[in-house]
Amino acid sequence: MSARTTIIPFRPRPRRAEKVVSNGVLGMILIVFVEIMLFAGFISAFVIVKARAVGSVWPPPNQPRLPFERTAINTTMLIASGIVLLIAHRAYQRGNRSIGLLLMLATLLGGAFVTLQGVEWVALLQEGLTLTSSTYGSLFYTIIGAHAAHAVVAIGLLAWAWLRLMAGTLSREAMSTVSLFWYFVVLVWPFLYFQVYL
């Protein structure tokens, strides 16, 4: 008596669909979208208050003018940081692992931007522009302070990415996620600069 053999046809496992973006990048895209809405609200409030200024005098009397010339230098450093990071990011995605110097330069330029903004704030405080001196002051410190907080967090992430790169453990996903947040910080700044400083 022979045993019956059942032949099961070979069916290849269905291939998993490749992700369009990684989980980290998708999460950062969502965060950036929310942050864009936050800054859009800030700018809207600023524009409305400026439009309703008494006698169309802006900034209000007895409040210092913002140093837009010095801040233009800061802006240049921030944009340069974004360009350097873009070059490093693209090289890393192509498999080039020797981007340490570029990543460090992007981080240092970002740090210089935040430091010079801090110096500017100290000077403005000494000239009498405070959170409570006027609506102008409170809006300025809220909007620009929110950007500074984002910049500090992003610089910390860039430094973390550099340390991971030096240890040889920086994934492409992590590099893209960190870069995306820094691009947001860099790209939102010109809108803030032109609306608030000019």
Side-chain angles (χ1 to χ4, degrees):
M1 194 168 174
S2 63
R4 288 181 94 180
T5 308
T6 306
I7 299 174
I8 300 171
F10 172 74
R11 289 188 188 140
R13 282 185 162 176
R15 289 177 58 191
R16 282 185 164 180
E18 290 186 30
K19 294 179 181 178
V20 177
V21 294
S22 66
N23 293 341
V25 171
L26 179 60
M28 188 55 73
I29 288 170
L30 294 173
I31 289 170
V32 165
F33 179 75
V34 170
E35 298 299 323
I36 288 170
M37 294 298 103
L38 173 72
F39 281 99
F42 284 156
I43 289 299
S44 297
F46 187 85
V47 169
I48 290 167
V49 170
K50 184 177 178 180
R52 292 183 178 175
V54 178
S56 297
V57 176
W58 194 260
N62 303 320
Q63 293 292 278
R65 295 211 173 269
L66 300 176
F68 64 92
E69 301 95 345
R70 277 184 295 165
T71 307
I73 296 167
N74 297 0
T75 302
T76 303
M77 285 191 292
L78 185 64
I79 292 171
S81 173
I83 292 169
V84 169
L85 183 63
L86 180 63
I87 293 166
H89 182 199
R90 293 184 70 168
Y92 200 72
Q93 295 306 327
R94 289 192 304 265
N96 183 351
R97 298 296 183 249
S98 57
I99 61 160
L101 196 58
L102 289 173
L103 193 52
M104 182 187 294
L105 180 59
T107 307
L108 291 174
L109 284 167
F113 168 80
V114 170
T115 301
L116 290 176
Q117 286 296 98
V119 169
E120 176 185 296
W121 279 29
V122 169
L124 288 171
L125 287 167
Q126 290 172 346
E127 292 176 31
L129 185 66
T130 67
L131 271 169
T132 58
S133 63
S134 64
T135 306
Y136 174 65
S138 61
L139 282 170
F140 170 77
Y141 287 110
T142 300
I143 296 169
I144 304 305
H147 183 267
H150 284 76
V152 168
V153 169
I155 290 165
L157 290 172
L158 288 174
W160 171 84
W162 182 82
L163 291 171
R164 294 284 300 265
L165 177 71
M166 294 298 102
T169 59
L170 181 65
S171 68
R172 287 182 182 183
E173 178 184 2
M175 180 67 182
S176 293
T177 304
V178 168
S179 297
L180 185 59
F181 192 62
W182 187 244
Y183 298 150
F184 160 71
V185 169
V186 171
L187 292 175
V188 79
W189 177 252
F191 294 101
L192 302 180
Y193 175 68
F194 284 110
Q195 285 296 329
V196 176
Y197 282 82
L198 299 180

PDB file of all heavy atoms in Angstrom, residues 179-193:
ATOM      1  N   SER A 179      17.554  66.187   9.144  1.00  0.00           N
ATOM      2  CA  SER A 179      17.710  67.203   8.090  1.00  0.00           C
ATOM      3  C   SER A 179      16.394  67.903   7.806  1.00  0.00           C
ATOM      4  O   SER A 179      16.353  69.131   7.644  1.00  0.00           O
ATOM      5  CB  SER A 179      18.246  66.552   6.809  1.00  0.00           C
ATOM      6  OG  SER A 179      19.529  66.018   7.018  1.00  0.00           O
ATOM      7  N   LEU A 180      15.315  67.145   7.763  1.00  0.00           N
ATOM      8  CA  LEU A 180      14.004  67.724   7.481  1.00  0.00           C
ATOM      9  C   LEU A 180      13.625  68.777   8.515  1.00  0.00           C
ATOM     10  O   LEU A 180      13.118  69.854   8.168  1.00  0.00           O
ATOM     11  CB  LEU A 180      12.953  66.612   7.430  1.00  0.00           C
ATOM     12  CG  LEU A 180      11.542  67.017   7.026  1.00  0.00           C
ATOM     13  CD1 LEU A 180      11.523  67.656   5.645  1.00  0.00           C
ATOM     14  CD2 LEU A 180      10.623  65.812   7.060  1.00  0.00           C
ATOM     15  N   PHE A 181      13.905  68.503   9.785  1.00  0.00           N
ATOM     16  CA  PHE A 181      13.583  69.484  10.823  1.00  0.00           C
ATOM     17  C   PHE A 181      14.432  70.735  10.665  1.00  0.00           C
ATOM     18  O   PHE A 181      13.932  71.854  10.811  1.00  0.00           O
ATOM     19  CB  PHE A 181      13.763  68.869  12.215  1.00  0.00           C
ATOM     20  CG  PHE A 181      13.185  69.711  13.312  1.00  0.00           C
ATOM     21  CD1 PHE A 181      11.831  69.992  13.365  1.00  0.00           C
ATOM     22  CD2 PHE A 181      13.994  70.244  14.307  1.00  0.00           C
ATOM     23  CE1 PHE A 181      11.289  70.786  14.375  1.00  0.00           C
ATOM     24  CE2 PHE A 181      13.467  71.035  15.316  1.00  0.00           C
ATOM     25  CZ  PHE A 181      12.111  71.299  15.349  1.00  0.00           C
ATOM     26  N   TRP A 182      15.716  70.572  10.329  1.00  0.00           N
ATOM     27  CA  TRP A 182      16.578  71.741  10.149  1.00  0.00           C
ATOM     28  C   TRP A 182      16.150  72.544   8.922  1.00  0.00           C
ATOM     29  O   TRP A 182      16.160  73.777   8.944  1.00  0.00           O
ATOM     30  CB  TRP A 182      18.047  71.340  10.048  1.00  0.00           C
ATOM     31  CG  TRP A 182      18.961  72.528  10.039  1.00  0.00           C
ATOM     32  CD1 TRP A 182      19.783  72.928   9.032  1.00  0.00           C
ATOM     33  CD2 TRP A 182      19.144  73.498  11.083  1.00  0.00           C
ATOM     34  NE1 TRP A 182      20.453  74.080   9.372  1.00  0.00           N
ATOM     35  CE2 TRP A 182      20.076  74.445  10.637  1.00  0.00           C
ATOM     36  CE3 TRP A 182      18.592  73.638  12.356  1.00  0.00           C
ATOM     37  CZ2 TRP A 182      20.478  75.524  11.404  1.00  0.00           C
ATOM     38  CZ3 TRP A 182      19.003  74.726  13.124  1.00  0.00           C
ATOM     39  CH2 TRP A 182      19.933  75.654  12.647  1.00  0.00           C
ATOM     40  N   TYR A 183      15.740  71.864   7.845  1.00  0.00           N
ATOM     41  CA  TYR A 183      15.254  72.587   6.670  1.00  0.00           C
ATOM     42  C   TYR A 183      14.047  73.448   7.035  1.00  0.00           C
ATOM     43  O   TYR A 183      13.924  74.579   6.569  1.00  0.00           O
ATOM     44  CB  TYR A 183      14.851  71.621   5.547  1.00  0.00           C
ATOM     45  CG  TYR A 183      15.970  70.765   5.020  1.00  0.00           C
ATOM     46  CD1 TYR A 183      15.707  69.497   4.510  1.00  0.00           C
ATOM     47  CD2 TYR A 183      17.291  71.200   5.016  1.00  0.00           C
ATOM     48  CE1 TYR A 183      16.711  68.700   4.015  1.00  0.00           C
ATOM     49  CE2 TYR A 183      18.318  70.408   4.535  1.00  0.00           C
ATOM     50  CZ  TYR A 183      18.015  69.154   4.023  1.00  0.00           C
ATOM     51  OH  TYR A 183      19.018  68.356   3.547  1.00  0.00           O
ATOM     52  N   PHE A 184      13.171  72.919   7.879  1.00  0.00           N
ATOM     53  CA  PHE A 184      12.018  73.706   8.326  1.00  0.00           C
ATOM     54  C   PHE A 184      12.485  74.960   9.064  1.00  0.00           C
ATOM     55  O   PHE A 184      12.006  76.064   8.797  1.00  0.00           O
ATOM     56  CB  PHE A 184      11.110  72.865   9.229  1.00  0.00           C
ATOM     57  CG  PHE A 184      10.199  73.687  10.079  1.00  0.00           C
ATOM     58  CD1 PHE A 184       9.126  74.372   9.515  1.00  0.00           C
ATOM     59  CD2 PHE A 184      10.419  73.822  11.444  1.00  0.00           C
ATOM     60  CE1 PHE A 184       8.296  75.162  10.298  1.00  0.00           C
ATOM     61  CE2 PHE A 184       9.592  74.603  12.220  1.00  0.00           C
ATOM     62  CZ  PHE A 184       8.526  75.277  11.647  1.00  0.00           C
ATOM     63  N   VAL A 185      13.420  74.797  10.004  1.00  0.00           N
ATOM     64  CA  VAL A 185      13.922  75.936  10.780  1.00  0.00           C
ATOM     65  C   VAL A 185      14.535  76.981   9.855  1.00  0.00           C
ATOM     66  O   VAL A 185      14.314  78.189  10.017  1.00  0.00           O
ATOM     67  CB  VAL A 185      14.949  75.463  11.841  1.00  0.00           C
ATOM     68  CG1 VAL A 185      15.684  76.639  12.463  1.00  0.00           C
ATOM     69  CG2 VAL A 185      14.258  74.634  12.921  1.00  0.00           C
ATOM     70  N   VAL A 186      15.285  76.524   8.864  1.00  0.00           N
ATOM     71  CA  VAL A 186      15.945  77.442   7.932  1.00  0.00           C
ATOM     72  C   VAL A 186      14.919  78.139   7.030  1.00  0.00           C
ATOM     73  O   VAL A 186      14.970  79.357   6.847  1.00  0.00           O
ATOM     74  CB  VAL A 186      16.993  76.688   7.072  1.00  0.00           C
ATOM     75  CG1 VAL A 186      17.521  77.571   5.949  1.00  0.00           C
ATOM     76  CG2 VAL A 186      18.140  76.195   7.952  1.00  0.00           C
ATOM     77  N   LEU A 187      13.974  77.382   6.493  1.00  0.00           N
ATOM     78  CA  LEU A 187      13.055  77.946   5.500  1.00  0.00           C
ATOM     79  C   LEU A 187      11.969  78.831   6.098  1.00  0.00           C
ATOM     80  O   LEU A 187      11.474  79.740   5.423  1.00  0.00           O
ATOM     81  CB  LEU A 187      12.426  76.813   4.684  1.00  0.00           C
ATOM     82  CG  LEU A 187      13.408  76.075   3.768  1.00  0.00           C
ATOM     83  CD1 LEU A 187      12.732  74.901   3.088  1.00  0.00           C
ATOM     84  CD2 LEU A 187      14.019  77.013   2.733  1.00  0.00           C
ATOM     85  N   VAL A 188      11.600  78.602   7.357  1.00  0.00           N
ATOM     86  CA  VAL A 188      10.570  79.458   7.960  1.00  0.00           C
ATOM     87  C   VAL A 188      11.158  80.817   8.342  1.00  0.00           C
ATOM     88  O   VAL A 188      10.432  81.811   8.402  1.00  0.00           O
ATOM     89  CB  VAL A 188       9.907  78.754   9.171  1.00  0.00           C
ATOM     90  CG1 VAL A 188      10.772  78.826  10.419  1.00  0.00           C
ATOM     91  CG2 VAL A 188       8.540  79.355   9.459  1.00  0.00           C
ATOM     92  N   TRP A 189      12.461  80.872   8.573  1.00  0.00           N
ATOM     93  CA  TRP A 189      13.073  82.118   9.051  1.00  0.00           C
ATOM     94  C   TRP A 189      12.919  83.296   8.085  1.00  0.00           C
ATOM     95  O   TRP A 189      12.581  84.410   8.528  1.00  0.00           O
ATOM     96  CB  TRP A 189      14.543  81.911   9.416  1.00  0.00           C
ATOM     97  CG  TRP A 189      15.174  83.193   9.825  1.00  0.00           C
ATOM     98  CD1 TRP A 189      16.079  83.933   9.141  1.00  0.00           C
ATOM     99  CD2 TRP A 189      14.895  83.940  11.022  1.00  0.00           C
ATOM    100  NE1 TRP A 189      16.389  85.082   9.824  1.00  0.00           N
ATOM    101  CE2 TRP A 189      15.671  85.111  10.984  1.00  0.00           C
ATOM    102  CE3 TRP A 189      14.060  83.717  12.117  1.00  0.00           C
ATOM    103  CZ2 TRP A 189      15.648  86.054  11.995  1.00  0.00           C
ATOM    104  CZ3 TRP A 189      14.030  84.664  13.127  1.00  0.00           C
ATOM    105  CH2 TRP A 189      14.823  85.814  13.059  1.00  0.00           C
ATOM    106  N   PRO A 190      13.167  83.159   6.759  1.00  0.00           N
ATOM    107  CA  PRO A 190      13.004  84.326   5.883  1.00  0.00           C
ATOM    108  C   PRO A 190      11.604  84.941   5.958  1.00  0.00           C
ATOM    109  O   PRO A 190      11.464  86.162   5.909  1.00  0.00           O
ATOM    110  CB  PRO A 190      13.296  83.766   4.485  1.00  0.00           C
ATOM    111  CG  PRO A 190      14.208  82.616   4.739  1.00  0.00           C
ATOM    112  CD  PRO A 190      13.736  82.015   6.030  1.00  0.00           C
ATOM    113  N   PHE A 191      10.574  84.107   6.113  1.00  0.00           N
ATOM    114  CA  PHE A 191       9.213  84.641   6.258  1.00  0.00           C
ATOM    115  C   PHE A 191       9.089  85.470   7.540  1.00  0.00           C
ATOM    116  O   PHE A 191       8.498  86.542   7.538  1.00  0.00           O
ATOM    117  CB  PHE A 191       8.190  83.504   6.281  1.00  0.00           C
ATOM    118  CG  PHE A 191       8.103  82.764   4.980  1.00  0.00           C
ATOM    119  CD1 PHE A 191       8.724  81.546   4.820  1.00  0.00           C
ATOM    120  CD2 PHE A 191       7.411  83.300   3.907  1.00  0.00           C
ATOM    121  CE1 PHE A 191       8.650  80.866   3.619  1.00  0.00           C
ATOM    122  CE2 PHE A 191       7.327  82.640   2.701  1.00  0.00           C
ATOM    123  CZ  PHE A 191       7.956  81.413   2.559  1.00  0.00           C
ATOM    124  N   LEU A 192       9.673  84.953   8.629  1.00  0.00           N
ATOM    125  CA  LEU A 192       9.632  85.686   9.900  1.00  0.00           C
ATOM    126  C   LEU A 192      10.434  86.976   9.797  1.00  0.00           C
ATOM    127  O   LEU A 192      10.005  88.034  10.260  1.00  0.00           O
ATOM    128  CB  LEU A 192      10.171  84.815  11.037  1.00  0.00           C
ATOM    129  CG  LEU A 192       9.465  83.480  11.285  1.00  0.00           C
ATOM    130  CD1 LEU A 192      10.111  82.750  12.443  1.00  0.00           C
ATOM    131  CD2 LEU A 192       7.987  83.676  11.535  1.00  0.00           C
ATOM    132  N   TYR A 193      11.593  86.887   9.178  1.00  0.00           N
ATOM    133  CA  TYR A 193      12.467  88.054   9.051  1.00  0.00           C
ATOM    134  C   TYR A 193      11.768  89.181   8.265  1.00  0.00           C
ATOM    135  O   TYR A 193      11.746  90.328   8.701  1.00  0.00           O
ATOM    136  CB  TYR A 193      13.778  87.642   8.375  1.00  0.00           C
ATOM    137  CG  TYR A 193      14.718  88.788   8.089  1.00  0.00           C
ATOM    138  CD1 TYR A 193      15.341  89.470   9.120  1.00  0.00           C
ATOM    139  CD2 TYR A 193      14.971  89.187   6.783  1.00  0.00           C
ATOM    140  CE1 TYR A 193      16.208  90.531   8.862  1.00  0.00           C
ATOM    141  CE2 TYR A 193      15.821  90.247   6.508  1.00  0.00           C
ATOM    142  CZ  TYR A 193      16.433  90.904   7.556  1.00  0.00           C
ATOM    143  OH  TYR A 193      17.280  91.950   7.294  1.00  0.00           O
TER     144      TYR A 193
END
